[in-house]
Amino acid sequence: MRFLRNYSSTLLCRRLDATAQRASSIGFARQLERFRSSTNDAKYDRVEEREARERHNAVTAFYNQSAIDLAAAKPSIRLTPRTLLYAGKHPDGSHLLRSVQYLHKELPVRIAHRISGFRNLPFIIGCHPTILNVHEMYIRSFNILSQVAEIKDLEAEKHYTRLLRTLLQEHRNVVTLLAEGFRECRKHIKQEDLIKNFLDRTLTSRLGIRMLAEHHIGLHDESPENQNFVGIICLQTNLKVFIEKWADFVRRQCENRFGGAPSVRIDGHVSATFPYIIQPLDYIIPELLKNAFRAVVEQNSDRLSHLPDVVVTISSNDTDFIIRIRDRGGGIPHKYVKRAFEYHFSTASDSDQDRGALGSIISPDLGHAGPMFGFGFGLPASRAYAEYLGGSLALQTMQGIGTDVYLRLPHIDGKEDCFRI
């Protein structure tokens, strides 16, 4: 009943907003002037005028969809990482101007595509308060970005970069909100493929938008610790060092949650270095490690002081690199194997899933994580990201023994054509 009441209140608010928009469109200035003349209190002058204009703009932006429709009809122009890598930096700042002019045209188009995706959701799902909140967030961002005038100089570029930082911060919880919203209305989902396609596209599009925005912001960073980067591209990525960092993080989290944790042993091409984009790996790798750690601990809960190692093997060649994560956690039961990559499928109990934090989602700053498991977004989102990056994520399981997970991703400066962001 509470769920239905939320729907009703949300729909009522939208009808009230629509009424307000219609009223404001036919006489906003006249109504405001009458209001100001009807009171002698000076506090209603500039403050009320500004607030009324802000409300008018917000409502008009929400219901005026023609600009969104036009942008959604345009194709996005996706760049290869190689293009970003070799664009380089120039002393006169021309690289910043080219970058921001591309974003100025491209971001509204990509955001409009996502708004179109929200519109095509089944009605009862699209009206869920949490999902509707994310939908409105995209609409507000579109309105803000589409109103920015053409950028012709570095001063305007700096202003746009500050705007990007603000919007990235505002959208930091989008994945968590989507996971919570879809979980709450899971019983109303009849078309699983439709929802999977929506989530795959929304999550990967969000990843692409954030990578482009963070790349532009990163071009401003001239600090010594950033000298090994071109925007978001690390010129000498060492997977061993990277995996060790996340293995230590997940180990401490596992110890706090379960009272013990397995060790991680890394072998293979441990000295290999190459250019790569770190951000998507910051999501995928800890997710895979958390699954392996949890499986090992639960399978060997009676001997936490003598847990079998989680073994990570690295392979790198001219075309791609492969990371295999092997655990001795008893494997995945046959009846669950086909469902492992379904959104919201999790072997965690309902009580664990209701703890409020989203354990299968690394938090926005990529420096903290929730419980060891949660709403079942980890594996399907990781596979969606891997495929977006031109690679794959697969698993092989031996029930009673353990599971091997294979992450394959192409090099961004390899011999074959690379993915596009």
Side-chain angles (χ1 to χ4, degrees):
M1 291 299 293
R2 184 177 63 183
F3 187 65
L4 294 175
R5 285 198 299 272
N6 286 339
Y7 281 159
S8 299
S9 63
T10 300
L11 295 174
L12 176 61
C13 289
R14 295 183 70 173
R15 286 196 293 270
L16 291 174
D17 282 348
T19 302
Q21 190 271 340
R22 288 193 296 270
S24 62
S25 64
I26 62 174
F28 169 74
R30 188 163 57 248
Q31 291 173 15
L32 180 59
E33 186 60 33
R34 288 174 181 172
F35 175 78
R36 292 181 61 189
S37 63
S38 67
T39 179
N40 295 322
D41 193 342
K43 70 179 180 180
Y44 289 116
D45 286 351
R46 292 187 177 181
V47 174
E48 282 298 318
E49 182 176 357
R50 184 182 70 251
E51 292 180 351
R53 289 188 184 280
E54 289 176 354
R55 288 194 297 271
H56 172 264
N57 290 338
V59 173
T60 301
F62 190 91
Y63 288 97
N64 182 14
Q65 303 288 352
S66 58
I68 296 174
D69 292 336
L70 289 173
K74 298 177 181 178
S76 61
I77 301 174
R78 298 173 63 183
L79 303 179
T80 64
R82 197 176 305 169
T83 301
L84 301 179
L85 177 62
Y86 294 117
K89 297 181 179 181
H90 300 276
D92 61 357
S94 58
H95 63 292
L96 294 173
L97 205 52
R98 288 195 302 271
S99 174
V100 78
Q101 287 169 346
Y102 164 74
L103 293 179
H104 179 256
K105 294 180 179 180
E106 181 68 13
L107 293 186
V109 172
R110 296 197 183 200
I111 293 173
H113 289 171
R114 300 284 52 80
I115 295 171
S116 178
F118 278 98
R119 290 182 187 173
N120 292 326
L121 285 172
F123 178 78
I124 197 169
I125 297 173
C127 288
H128 184 280
T130 305
I131 297 173
L132 183 61
N133 178 36
V134 178
H135 184 179
E136 292 172 347
M137 200 181 301
Y138 275 93
I139 292 175
R140 288 194 297 270
S141 297
F142 175 87
N143 183 52
I144 291 170
L145 292 174
S146 61
Q147 289 181 354
V148 176
E150 185 179 358
I151 301 172
K152 298 181 179 180
D153 54 52
L154 291 177
E155 189 61 35
E157 183 275 329
K158 290 180 181 178
H159 173 76
Y160 194 86
T161 301
R162 288 193 296 269
L163 178 61
L164 287 179
R165 287 194 176 98
T166 300
L167 292 178
L168 287 175
Q169 181 68 10
E170 290 178 356
H171 282 249
R172 67 191 185 280
N173 292 324
V174 161
V175 179
T176 300
L177 292 173
L178 286 175
E180 291 173 348
F182 275 95
R183 179 176 179 271
E184 289 174 5
C185 57
R186 179 170 49 186
K187 63 183 178 181
H188 301 288
I189 296 175
K190 305 300 182 183
Q191 299 168 286
E192 292 286 349
D193 288 343
L194 185 149
I195 300 303
K196 178 186 180 302
N197 291 336
F198 170 83
L199 289 172
D200 282 350
R201 291 176 181 174
T202 300
L203 295 177
T204 55
S205 174
R206 177 180 181 272
L207 175 64
I209 290 171
R210 293 188 75 88
M211 286 197 295
L212 290 173
E214 289 174 357
H215 178 76
H216 178 76
I217 293 171
L219 292 175
H220 282 269
D221 193 345
E222 302 290 345
S223 61
E225 57 270 19
N226 203 53
Q227 62 183 354
N228 199 33
F229 283 79
V230 174
I232 59 172
I233 301 175
C234 179
L235 300 179
Q236 294 182 340
T237 303
N238 184 296
L239 289 179
K240 179 177 182 292
V241 174
F242 177 82
I243 293 169
E244 285 175 339
K245 178 194 74 172
W246 277 116
D248 181 65
F249 172 80
V250 175
R251 178 186 56 77
R252 286 184 278 108
Q253 186 186 28
C254 187
E255 288 175 345
N256 291 335
R257 173 68 178 84
F258 296 107
S263 298
V264 172
R265 181 159 44 91
I266 303 175
D267 58 24
H269 299 157
V270 295
S271 60
T273 60
F274 45 82
Y276 204 72
I277 302 172
I278 296 297
Q279 278 83 342
L281 294 180
D282 273 326
Y283 177 89
I284 298 173
I285 295 300
E287 284 299 330
L288 302 183
L289 287 173
K290 284 201 294 183
N291 286 339
F293 273 58
R294 175 196 163 200
V296 170
V297 170
E298 292 188 344
Q299 177 69 12
N300 302 276
S301 58
D302 56 340
R303 52 190 185 104
L304 292 179
S305 58
H306 297 87
L307 295 172
D309 293 346
V310 171
V311 181
V312 180
T313 303
I314 300 168
S315 171
S316 180
N317 55 65
D318 292 339
T319 302
D320 56 23
F321 63 92
I322 302 165
I323 300 173
R324 182 187 67 190
I325 299 178
R326 168 173 290 176
D327 69 65
R328 298 296 295 271
I332 302 173
H334 296 310
K335 61 180 180 180
Y336 293 146
V337 171
K338 291 184 179 180
R339 301 189 61 195
F341 289 105
E342 291 181 7
Y343 285 101
H344 290 108
F345 174 75
S346 174
T347 56
S349 65
D350 289 340
S351 61
D352 284 319
Q353 293 190 37
D354 289 335
R355 291 184 178 182
L358 192 64
S360 290
I361 301 293
I362 297 296
S363 67
D365 60 4
L366 296 176
H368 302 84
M372 286 296 292
F373 41 90
F375 293 153
F377 252 52
L379 272 180
S382 294
R383 184 168 72 171
Y385 290 154
E387 292 176 351
Y388 178 79
L389 299 171
S392 62
L393 181 66
L395 61 84
Q396 294 289 332
T397 188
M398 297 179 65
Q399 190 167 359
I401 301 295
T403 300
D404 290 1
V405 179
Y406 294 86
L407 173 66
R408 186 195 68 80
L409 295 170
H411 287 299
I412 64 175
D413 62 345
K415 295 180 178 180
E416 296 185 359
D417 290 338
C418 194
F419 63 93
R420 292 180 178 267
I421 299 175

